[in-house]
Amino acid sequence: MGSVRKKKEKQKDFQKAKLKVGKTKLKPTNHTDTSFVAKTISLPSQSIVNKTSTTSTAEFEADLIKRLSLTKHHANQTRKETLIYIEQHLPNEPTLYKQILTAVVPLIIDQSRSVREALISLLTAASEKQSNLMELHARSVILYIHSAMTHINSDIRNDSVKFLDILIKYGKDAVIRSAWVKTLKAYFSLLSWTLNDSKQSVSLAITTSSVTKTSSKSKGVILDSFVKFIKAGVQDEQLDPSEVNITIHHLTGKYLIPSTPQPFAQLKLFQRETLADDSTTKNKNTVDTTIDLNTVSCEDSQTRTKVLVEFFIPQIIKHSKEVVKEGGEQGKAARSLEKLCDAILVKVKEEEEAARD
Amino acid sequence: MVKRRTAAILPTNIILLQNLVRRDPESYREEFLQQYAHYESLRDLFMAQPGSQNGDEFEELIGFVSAVCSCYPKETANFPNELKSLIANNHRDLTPELREKIIQCLVMLRNRDIITAESLIQTIFPLLSAYSGAANVNAQHSKALRHQVYSTLISLLKNVNTGAKNQKLNRSTQALLFNLLEQKDAQGVWATKLTRELWRRGIWDDSRTVEIMTQATLHPDSKVVVSGVKFFLGADKEREENFEEESDEEGFDLNSMRHKMNINKKTGKRAKKLEAAVKTMKKKNSAKHSATYLNFSAIHLLRDPQGFAEQVFETHLQGKNSNKFDLEQKIALMNLLSRLIGTHKLTVLGIYSFFLKYLTPKQRDVTQVMAACAQASHDLVPPESINVMVRKIADEFVSDGVAPEVAAAGINTIREILSRAPLAIDQTLLHDLTEYKGSKSKPVNIAAKSLITLYREVAPEMLHRKDRGKVATMEISAGERNGLPQFGVESNTQGIPGIELLAKWREEQGLAANDGEDDEANWEVDDEEVDGEDIEGDWVTVESDKEYEISDDEDEDKKKEDAVPELTEGKEAEKMDEDSDLDLSDDEEEGAEKIEEDAPAAEAATAPLDAEAAFRELASTRILTPADFAKIEELRNQAGVEKILGTKTQRNEEQVDSGSLVGPVKYKQLREERIAHAREGRDERDKFGSHRGKRDAPHSTTNREKARKKNFVMMIHKRSVQGKVKRSLRDKQKVLQAHITKQKKKGH
């Protein structure tokens, strides 16, 4: 009998389990149950607790960098708020500033007025905090300012001088060294003044610019900043003799390590720029005498003064006289510009005479 | 209001400013200068940090400056160069949109003649190769760019070459392509693509272009090679199709348009339409006739076909070199090589033994290989080399054990080969093959018979006596055949083949040497078949006063009967004919004399069927008109000269269609196919029955129809009816005459 039982048991091993409709499939014998039950779920990335309050500096930095991308947000409200936030949370250490500045500076040509205003206050605050900031980044900032000064939108154009004012205030050295001629020219186009008296440039722009109401007020602002810029450029950057109480040879400075950042930038060793063909530069003189100025480096005040006197001052005087006649705030500014120009001319003459003697 | 007025003069966006500047560049100079300065500042920004975000504005400004560039040439003298250096040096940093914009602007500048076409090509051509292949990173943009550059190049070259060809630009572009092909990578494909497209459009059609493709064909990269080979095999067909399409397009009827202009209301719009139509018509016609377009095929324009063929064989097919190609490519190469050999009658002896490897029934696409075999053989190849191939085909394909299609393909191929090189087979093998004429399989049967027909013409001596046929047997027995054709002996035809037939025919008809030469009708070349009627028509008019009792159709029959016997029977009957002709034309004033002079010459000519003498005689006295040539063709067909002369030797340039080698294979149709076939005929035909009262196009009743239906009694008292009766006889006659002529015209 036992043999029958054994037989059945043996057969059982090889019988196939039947599948039935509506029943789950039987688990195989070697199945391991891996299911588990947990009582809490933790989601650290979504924690409600504010991170800034916990302030480890690294976390704070990460947050700030994250916010920098919001400067490209499509809503101008968001951009403005981002700027304000950055201004309120300006870091102490200088490492982050480069990143901040590269993200923020393109907003100079932002369409929205409120964003630009926020940016002005941000830049002012930042350069208050980091005194060398503007000096260091002047090259990239001035490019955006130039672009703003020539922008087709008049509001952006008018606001551009405010940025330039900040630059002159906190980092004038770099600006006047690297972009003297260009900025002068930008001022001319900003004021819609002509650089040469050719007949073809009897411009409609002069007449049209008076159409806009804001122009007289903003023109005053522009002229004021123009005065500042010229002053900054013409000023001697030599150290006050009162501060130095040891006598040194007057050529010593040339053999010392230069005190300014990027002293050899005008050589353009590490810069990529479009090359002008020889064929095109040949006929330049007939077109515009100032274009070949692009190649002149204006590292010292003498050259700057020379360039200014030779190419720009006559036009400045001529145009500012016109503006003076219009009177008002701009007239005042123009008067001061005129005075400045006269002073420069006198100074140059004196120097020339001194040199002759 | 104020705002609007301000906007009109004070531009607030670039597009508005562009519009203003284009209208009045002088006044808006300052605004332009400001924007140009803005462009410069943005450019500097871009150079300082490529890929900064204000790409849109920069793009817009570039577009603006290049649009108004022509207004301020002095101020913007440097602008084109800046754009060029930007795209040439910084194209990797540019966003795709900006890249596209710059290319567009450069094209715009070139269209305004600010930069030259050469410099444009030199700027954008490198981009083609820079953005293809494995080097590029972002695939979809680079594709768009390549497409843009490519289409720009094509349209530029097309524009430059309309009217007269700009050879200088073509040369410089071709030099660029040559340089591209000198590199060893797959970039050369662009050169071939460009060349092929330009060839297809008929813009480039000289031997220099073909030289580019030969270089591509000998390129180390297989992709380039294949595109080169495909060019030689297919480009000419493509070009023809292209031109056919173009000629189809000019479908509108100018006359009907003019007519409509006369009838319809005259409006300015319609007048302009007509003007435009006339203009396009003129342009098309002039382009067709004036363009210096040569339709030489690419293979004919090769500078050194022998060298080229040898190099192709050595570098691509011989030895291990062929391993880099797959079978289709190899077949394409074989096809090209064989066509080269056939067309130019080259000697590349290696290829015949090369083919042997592929000549087995199991080989994939073997019919194409066989077609290549046939194309590669011609009468200047030593028969021994071709014989090897023929023997191999016979061994592999033609035996009792194989399927009928295979055997048929084998025999057909052998026939094609032998029609080009008749000496490449020995008699025993030929006898073996002709035995298949009794095969039960239709395709084999047909193939064997066609082989026999071929040898009846070429060398009947090699056939069995029973296969030779009547004509050949008679010729052999008469001793007219001068034995087997020999290798290296060319049978050149001098003069115009079949001219002696024309001479004879003219004498039969009694025409003077110069007759019909001045007749305008003879010079007209009909597009359709020149039917016999036309030609008959003018000889009737020339000598209409004579009593020729033969009517047109009678003549047709008579000629058909006469022509062949005349050839064989000899001169007796013809002399009789001529005599009678002379008798008939005796009373003619001038024609008769001339014929009498010609008569002895004609006799001499007709007797031995001497082609040279006939040619000399006829060509010296007369200018042959197109009608004459048509007649020659007709006479030759009748006389079966085609067969005797063995014009098959001219077949070298023909392609062998690989599909036809297998012969007609008829499979049983499926039911669906049969139904479809039956339905084909039924679909477009109407129901049978009368068309009376039915209209082609739906329309309401016309006035004419209404008038016809009008009650007779209502009409009878009208003046238009009554007046008809009261007309004078003269008027009635006039009307009747007019009616008759009108009806006659309708009939035609």
Side-chain angles (χ1 to χ4, degrees):
Chain A
M1 280 291 121
S3 66
V4 176
R5 192 175 49 87
K6 265 187 184 171
K7 237 184 197 173
K8 270 189 180 173
E9 276 179 355
K10 271 183 185 170
Q11 276 177 346
K12 215 169 144 192
D13 285 340
F14 296 100
Q15 253 164 7
K16 202 177 176 187
K18 278 191 179 169
L19 295 174
K20 283 186 180 175
V21 179
K23 300 271 168 64
T24 50
K25 197 181 165 188
L26 286 174
K27 294 279 184 323
T29 46
N30 57 357
H31 175 73
T32 316
D33 189 11
T34 53
S35 65
F36 66 94
V37 179
K39 285 190 179 160
T40 56
I41 300 172
S42 80
L43 292 170
S45 61
Q46 291 181 14
S47 93
I48 307 164
V49 191
N50 198 353
K51 222 186 297 168
T52 47
S53 60
T54 57
T55 59
S56 80
T57 48
E59 267 177 42
F60 165 73
E61 276 174 18
D63 182 52
L64 195 68
I65 287 166
K66 228 181 253 171
R67 275 172 191 271
L68 284 182
S69 67
L70 286 179
T71 53
K72 290 170 189 166
H73 197 269
H74 58 87
N76 45 21
Q77 197 63 27
T78 317
R79 290 198 298 265
K80 191 184 97 181
E81 274 166 12
T82 312
L83 291 180
I84 292 171
Y85 176 86
I86 296 171
E87 190 184 340
Q88 283 163 356
H89 297 83
L90 276 174
N92 291 321
E93 59 275 24
T95 47
L96 272 181
Y97 277 92
K98 187 180 182 209
Q99 244 174 327
I100 292 174
L101 222 62
T102 46
V104 147
V105 158
L107 293 180
I108 290 177
I109 45 175
D110 196 280
Q111 296 286 337
S112 155
R113 173 191 291 275
S114 55
V115 174
R116 291 196 302 269
E117 273 165 4
L119 181 61
I120 291 170
S121 72
L122 167 63
L123 287 182
T124 327
S127 26
E128 289 276 325
K129 217 165 188 180
Q130 297 284 329
S131 53
N132 285 333
L133 185 67
M134 282 299 146
E135 191 90 11
L136 272 171
H137 295 280
R139 277 175 190 284
S140 65
V141 176
I142 195 73
L143 283 177
Y144 280 99
I145 292 177
H146 282 159
S147 155
M149 285 170 101
T150 52
H151 204 275
I152 194 161
N153 194 332
S154 61
D155 290 337
I156 297 177
R157 249 180 301 168
N158 294 336
D159 277 351
S160 66
V161 286
K162 292 174 188 161
F163 294 105
L164 193 56
D165 282 346
I166 299 174
L167 210 56
I168 295 168
K169 193 173 174 189
Y170 296 102
K172 70 171 185 192
D173 214 33
V175 179
I176 55 178
R177 272 165 186 276
S178 60
W180 175 245
V181 176
K182 266 192 187 166
T183 316
L184 280 178
K185 273 202 248 173
Y187 268 115
F188 267 71
S189 79
L190 197 56
L191 292 160
S192 47
W193 288 354
T194 53
L195 263 177
N196 40 359
D197 290 323
S198 57
K199 279 167 202 161
Q200 55 178 344
S201 61
V202 179
S203 176
L204 191 64
I206 294 171
T207 53
T208 52
S209 61
S210 57
V211 174
T212 46
K213 285 175 190 170
T214 52
S215 68
S216 66
K217 198 176 147 195
S218 59
K219 214 169 193 180
V221 178
I222 294 169
L223 285 168
D224 279 338
S225 106
F226 198 10
V227 171
K228 273 186 221 165
F229 181 71
I230 293 177
K231 264 185 193 166
V234 176
Q235 215 174 46
D236 274 334
E237 72 265 18
Q238 247 110 50
L239 299 169
D240 276 340
S242 57
E243 281 181 25
V244 187
N245 42 19
I246 46 166
T247 51
I248 45 170
H249 194 267
H250 65 279
L251 281 178
T252 312
K254 308 231 166 194
Y255 299 98
L256 290 176
I257 294 168
S259 57
T260 53
Q262 301 180 345
F264 303 112
Q266 81 276 7
L267 298 177
K268 288 173 185 166
L269 291 175
F270 306 108
Q271 246 178 336
R272 287 189 299 172
E273 258 185 49
T274 49
L275 295 169
D277 277 4
D278 291 336
S279 56
T280 50
T281 46
K282 268 174 200 165
N283 56 5
K284 274 294 154 56
N285 295 331
T286 58
V287 184
D288 191 353
T289 45
T290 56
I291 288 177
D292 61 334
L293 289 177
N294 292 336
T295 54
V296 176
S297 75
C298 301
E299 283 291 305
D300 50 35
S301 66
Q302 275 87 10
T303 5
R304 283 199 290 271
T305 323
K306 200 178 162 195
V307 166
L308 183 69
V309 169
E310 262 180 42
F311 296 102
F312 294 97
I313 278 198
Q315 296 296 323
I316 293 174
I317 292 173
K318 183 186 145 202
H319 287 293
S320 57
K321 267 177 189 158
E322 281 167 15
V323 180
V324 166
K325 278 174 203 160
E326 287 174 34
E329 218 164 293
Q330 46 172 337
K332 222 193 258 176
R335 166 92 53 196
S336 66
L337 179 63
E338 213 181 327
K339 270 182 193 166
L340 176 65
C341 289
D342 288 336
I344 292 169
L345 282 178
V346 169
K347 193 183 162 194
V348 168
K349 250 180 208 168
E350 278 173 8
E351 274 175 14
E352 270 178 21
E353 277 169 20
R356 221 174 283 160
D357 296 338
Chain B
M1 282 302 286
V2 177
K3 215 175 185 184
R4 203 196 263 170
R5 207 180 294 146
T6 328
I9 41 170
L10 251 195
T12 48
N13 63 30
I14 301 264
I15 297 166
L16 184 61
L17 179 62
Q18 182 175 330
N19 184 20
L20 292 171
V21 167
R22 286 201 67 82
R23 278 198 221 157
D24 187 4
E26 295 272 301
S27 317
Y28 285 90
R29 189 165 178 279
E30 285 304 311
E31 270 82 358
F32 168 75
L33 284 179
Q34 190 182 36
Q35 287 315 306
Y36 192 62
H38 192 47
Y39 152 76
E40 278 176 337
S41 68
L42 281 181
R43 185 200 65 212
D44 291 345
L45 257 181
F46 181 83
M47 298 311 269
Q49 31 190 248
S52 57
Q53 66 270 46
N54 44 14
D56 293 345
E57 210 185 349
F58 192 39
E59 206 179 302
E60 208 178 18
L61 265 173
I62 288 177
F64 164 72
V65 177
S66 48
V68 299
C69 202
S70 52
C71 301
Y72 308 103
K74 282 180 181 172
E75 286 85 345
T76 57
N78 214 13
F79 176 70
N81 287 328
E82 280 168 12
L83 275 194
K84 271 189 247 165
S85 74
L86 206 60
I87 192 91
N89 304 329
N90 299 49
H91 57 86
R92 295 244 174 245
D93 306 325
L94 300 169
T95 57
E97 294 84 29
L98 190 55
R99 223 159 35 201
E100 194 187 327
K101 184 80 188 178
I102 291 180
I103 296 175
Q104 258 176 28
C105 289
L106 282 173
V107 173
M108 194 201 290
L109 291 178
R110 129 84 206 141
N111 288 342
R112 305 210 164 132
D113 266 343
I114 296 166
I115 58 173
T116 59
E118 279 94 345
S119 71
L120 177 59
I121 287 180
Q122 267 152 14
T123 316
I124 63 176
F125 190 77
L127 295 181
L128 253 192
S129 48
Y131 279 90
S132 54
N136 57 351
V137 196
N138 40 0
Q140 72 273 38
H141 291 314
S142 70
K143 195 175 178 190
L145 177 91
R146 272 178 284 155
H147 185 258
Q148 193 195 9
V149 172
Y150 180 69
S151 52
T152 306
L153 283 175
I154 295 280
S155 63
L156 178 71
L157 284 167
K158 190 182 154 205
N159 290 339
V160 162
N161 281 313
T162 44
K165 300 222 157 165
N166 186 343
Q167 291 299 359
K168 202 178 148 213
L169 186 68
N170 287 347
R171 286 259 166 100
S172 67
T173 314
Q174 281 163 356
L176 277 178
L177 298 185
F178 274 123
N179 288 341
L180 197 61
L181 282 173
E182 259 161 31
Q183 295 159 16
K184 298 232 176 295
D185 50 0
Q187 305 296 346
V189 177
W190 285 106
T192 59
K193 259 189 169 180
L194 205 67
T195 315
R196 186 169 189 173
E197 182 63 26
L198 291 169
W199 182 270
R200 190 178 75 81
R201 291 167 184 242
I203 298 168
W204 282 0
D205 50 13
D206 52 349
S207 67
R208 222 176 133 78
T209 316
V210 176
E211 201 64 16
I212 293 178
M213 295 316 268
T214 58
Q215 198 168 338
T217 312
L218 298 172
H219 201 268
D221 190 274
S222 65
K223 225 173 164 186
V224 185
V225 173
V226 169
S227 68
V229 170
K230 286 205 175 135
F231 170 80
F232 281 109
L233 292 179
D236 293 310
K237 210 177 235 172
E238 267 180 15
R239 188 169 66 172
E240 263 165 40
E241 277 166 13
N242 184 32
F243 278 97
E244 267 167 30
E245 267 168 36
E246 270 175 22
S247 58
D248 284 348
E249 275 166 22
E250 45 179 301
F252 58 89
D253 187 7
L254 206 60
N255 282 335
S256 82
M257 276 187 99
R258 280 215 181 95
H259 181 66
K260 275 179 197 162
M261 265 300 281
N262 277 335
I263 290 166
N264 290 343
K265 192 181 169 193
K266 276 133 196 101
T267 60
K269 195 183 173 190
R270 280 191 189 136
K272 265 181 202 163
K273 248 188 190 171
L274 181 72
E275 245 170 59
V278 170
K279 224 181 197 176
T280 50
M281 206 70 162
K282 266 186 187 167
K283 205 176 175 186
K284 265 184 185 159
N285 286 341
S286 66
K288 226 182 189 177
H289 297 305
S290 73
T292 53
Y293 158 66
L294 308 164
N295 62 351
F296 285 123
S297 80
I299 290 184
H300 280 107
L301 284 174
L302 282 172
R303 286 183 185 163
D304 175 20
Q306 174 72 42
F308 179 50
E310 274 171 10
Q311 265 177 305
V312 169
F313 183 59
E314 272 164 29
T315 52
H316 295 324
L317 287 180
Q318 222 171 19
K320 282 181 182 173
N321 299 333
S322 64
N323 289 346
K324 59 184 170 183
F325 300 107
D326 63 11
L327 186 72
E328 272 97 47
Q329 295 168 340
K330 266 187 232 172
I331 285 176
L333 273 166
M334 288 180 215
N335 199 356
L336 168 66
L337 203 53
S338 63
R339 277 181 65 185
L340 285 176
I341 293 171
T343 313
H344 292 282
K345 295 201 173 178
L346 308 174
T347 323
V348 183
L349 293 178
I351 197 172
Y352 303 103
S353 51
F354 170 79
F355 277 134
L356 294 182
K357 185 167 69 171
Y358 294 94
L359 288 173
T360 56
K362 290 277 166 68
Q363 169 71 40
R364 198 153 53 91
D365 288 333
V366 72
T367 47
Q368 293 185 33
V369 180
M370 288 158 100
C373 287
Q375 283 169 7
S377 37
H378 58 84
D379 54 354
L380 296 184
V381 181
E384 302 88 60
S385 349
I386 299 181
N387 189 18
V388 182
M389 215 159 63
V390 171
R391 196 160 275 284
K392 169 91 173 177
I393 294 174
D395 290 346
E396 291 279 350
F397 288 80
V398 192
S399 67
D400 287 331
V402 298
E405 292 94 54
V406 178
I411 300 178
N412 279 328
T413 313
I414 291 175
R415 190 201 65 218
E416 287 293 340
I417 294 174
L418 294 180
S419 73
R420 290 168 168 75
L423 292 172
I425 194 168
D426 44 29
Q427 204 159 1
T428 48
L429 184 56
L430 184 64
H431 286 172
D432 286 351
L433 292 177
T434 52
E435 285 307 305
Y436 280 89
K437 74 181 175 182
S439 167
K440 274 177 191 163
S441 156
K442 197 83 178 172
V444 180
N445 188 349
I446 294 171
K449 279 179 186 165
S450 72
L451 186 63
I452 293 174
T453 338
L454 172 73
Y455 268 83
R456 277 185 187 174
E457 295 160 15
V458 184
E461 293 90 341
M462 286 174 77
L463 290 167
H464 281 304
R465 183 173 279 274
K466 59 184 175 185
D467 289 334
R468 282 177 195 165
K470 186 181 163 195
V471 180
T473 318
M474 284 173 75
E475 277 174 1
I476 291 174
S477 62
E480 282 176 24
R481 306 247 1 155
N482 25 3
L484 289 171
Q486 283 180 330
F487 176 63
V489 178
E490 278 190 87
S491 62
N492 278 335
T493 328
Q494 283 176 341
I496 301 161
I499 195 162
E500 70 280 358
L501 293 174
L502 182 72
K504 203 177 72 192
W505 177 78
R506 287 181 70 82
E507 273 148 28
E508 279 168 36
Q509 305 301 340
L511 290 177
N514 289 333
D515 282 348
E517 197 179 309
D518 304 324
D519 196 338
E520 279 295 316
N522 279 340
W523 290 100
E524 268 165 32
V525 185
D526 265 349
D527 279 354
E528 302 110 50
E529 288 273 335
V530 183
D531 42 15
E533 255 185 36
D534 279 356
I535 300 161
E536 244 97 67
D538 47 29
W539 65 256
V540 169
T541 49
V542 169
E543 300 196 347
S544 57
D545 52 339
K546 280 291 56 168
E547 58 270 42
Y548 278 81
E549 75 279 44
I550 8 165
S551 78
D552 281 1
D553 32 358
E554 225 180 318
D555 184 54
E556 287 279 328
D557 295 344
K558 192 187 160 197
K559 253 185 279 161
K560 269 175 202 159
E561 291 163 14
D562 283 359
V564 181
E566 269 170 14
L567 283 173
T568 45
E569 273 170 32
K571 53 186 175 181
E572 309 302 296
E574 282 163 33
K575 252 195 161 179
M576 290 275 287
D577 260 3
E578 274 162 30
D579 288 342
S580 65
D581 270 350
L582 290 176
D583 289 342
L584 288 171
S585 52
D586 257 345
D587 43 355
E588 277 181 37
E589 307 86 33
E590 26 163 318
E593 291 163 18
K594 270 188 189 169
I595 290 179
E596 269 186 313
E597 284 167 19
D598 288 345
E603 260 177 70
T606 44
L609 260 181
D610 190 355
E612 281 166 49
F615 175 71
R616 228 179 294 129
E617 182 242 318
L618 203 59
S620 57
T621 51
R622 182 187 156 73
I623 299 168
L624 292 176
T625 62
D628 285 334
F629 282 109
K631 193 74 210 174
I632 290 180
E633 195 63 27
E634 193 189 328
L635 290 170
R636 273 175 54 165
N637 285 340
Q638 285 170 3
V641 179
E642 202 85 55
K643 290 177 185 173
I644 296 166
L645 281 179
T647 32
K648 300 276 179 186
T649 46
Q650 289 172 351
R651 294 179 57 160
N652 269 315
E653 292 185 14
E654 274 173 33
Q655 265 176 274
V656 178
D657 180 20
S658 62
S660 69
L661 286 180
V662 184
V665 187
K666 198 176 181 186
Y667 298 102
K668 198 180 177 195
Q669 283 178 318
L670 294 175
R671 186 163 178 274
E672 288 81 19
E673 282 175 330
R674 260 178 287 152
I675 290 173
H677 186 69
R679 194 164 281 163
E680 219 169 61
R682 275 184 223 159
D683 266 350
E684 287 182 4
R685 87 169 152 72
D686 311 337
K687 281 237 159 104
F688 291 119
S690 160
H691 279 277
R692 200 185 160 93
K694 285 172 190 163
R695 284 168 183 162
D696 291 338
H699 63 85
S700 51
T701 333
T702 60
N703 283 345
R704 206 177 148 81
E705 280 169 339
K706 281 179 192 149
R708 267 195 217 129
K709 280 182 186 164
K710 205 162 184 181
N711 194 355
F712 172 68
V713 186
M714 289 166 81
M715 290 301 290
I716 196 154
H717 297 295
K718 298 272 176 180
R719 194 184 292 153
S720 59
V721 179
Q722 295 262 310
K724 280 187 186 169
V725 188
K726 289 175 186 169
R727 278 179 305 193
S728 69
L729 192 60
R730 208 174 106 78
D731 283 348
K732 273 185 192 170
Q733 246 176 351
K734 258 189 190 171
V735 171
L736 185 64
Q737 203 59 49
H739 176 70
I740 288 167
T741 48
K742 201 175 180 186
Q743 289 301 315
K744 272 188 181 171
K745 274 182 187 166
K746 239 187 220 169
H748 264 280

